[in-house]
Amino acid sequence: MRSVVLTISLCLLGGCATVSMVPGEVTVLSGLSHNQSVLRKVSGEYCDEAVKSGWVQASGGLAGLADTLINGRDSTVEDYASRIGADKNAPSLVLSRISADAQSARSGLANVSNEANVILRSPESDAASRTDVMSYERALVRAQMAYRNFQSALSTVAARDDMDMDTAPIDAELADFADTIDAARKTADGLADKYASLNSKSS
């Protein structure tokens, strides 16, 4: 995935943006800085919530997240399914939990993406910082891992002999989450391109 690869690459790059001190530009730049700090804050909060809510487990930093996503070395899938009792609790309770978690994960990612799009749409040449790109992509990777865990838990409960409920509503909720993730991936690629362009011009 291009955004994940770019994130890892960005760890090795040094940003060299300059800030104009022209009085007429102070307000605009201050507002932009605020948006950047907001993106970092909401991205971090989303990652924390993903772990706290049990959608994913904490891992060894960004490299660990990327390795898990790309290579599939993921111990969180069964942990989430086990945490909600996908193999033993009443199917109605399991499906309700998956639906609630998927809704929360989707809504949270959408909120983070809104802040990312503020920066992406900014006309300022230094709108995207390395930290912003990395923070947003961490949130995106968490969302992708959560999606995989939700899908796995749904498969577990759907395969049970006592399963007698229609999973169509949950399938639809997960499809909406997948769409939100796809949109976030495009935004992440846009931010990475914007930062790469800035870094190229500043080199």
Side-chain angles (χ1 to χ4, degrees):
M1 186 181 69
R2 182 162 71 103
S3 59
V4 171
V5 174
L6 282 172
T7 297
I8 297 172
S9 298
L10 288 173
C11 293
L12 305 176
L13 297 177
C16 303
T18 58
V19 179
S20 172
M21 298 306 291
V22 177
E25 296 180 4
V26 171
T27 301
V28 174
L29 293 175
S30 295
L32 179 59
S33 177
H34 171 72
N35 288 333
Q36 289 176 330
S37 64
V38 169
L39 177 57
R40 290 193 291 271
K41 179 176 183 294
V42 297
S43 293
E45 289 174 345
Y46 184 80
C47 291
D48 291 342
E49 181 62 27
V51 174
K52 179 181 177 181
S53 297
W55 308 335
V56 303
Q57 281 189 334
S59 60
L62 182 61
L65 289 174
D67 185 58
T68 291
L69 186 65
I70 296 172
N71 298 315
R73 289 195 279 266
D74 190 353
S75 61
T76 65
V77 174
E78 289 306 316
D79 289 336
Y80 173 76
S82 296
R83 187 176 190 275
I84 67 173
D87 60 341
K88 60 185 179 182
N89 288 343
S92 60
L93 295 178
V94 174
L95 294 180
S96 177
R97 178 59 183 274
I98 296 172
S99 177
D101 284 347
Q103 288 177 14
S104 295
R106 174 175 57 82
S107 176
L109 180 61
N111 288 337
V112 178
S113 293
N114 286 339
E115 297 298 338
N117 278 307
V118 169
I119 295 177
L120 185 60
R121 292 192 298 265
S122 171
E124 299 299 321
S125 60
D126 60 347
S129 74
R130 178 178 60 181
T131 305
D132 291 319
V133 175
M134 292 173 62
S135 297
Y136 182 56
E137 289 191 348
R138 286 191 187 97
L140 174 56
V141 171
R142 293 286 192 192
Q144 290 171 311
M145 292 170 65
Y147 173 80
R148 288 172 54 182
N149 290 349
F150 300 156
Q151 285 280 20
S152 179
L154 179 59
S155 295
T156 297
V157 68
R160 287 169 47 178
D161 293 336
D162 61 344
M163 177 62 178
D164 58 356
M165 299 184 64
D166 183 11
T167 63
I170 314 302
D171 291 332
E173 183 62 50
L174 289 175
D176 287 343
F177 188 20
D179 289 342
T180 302
I181 289 173
D182 286 341
R185 186 181 296 113
K186 293 177 181 177
T187 298
D189 287 341
L191 281 179
D193 288 343
K194 193 163 191 174
Y195 172 76
S197 175
L198 167 65
N199 189 72
S200 176
K201 292 177 181 178
S202 302
S203 300

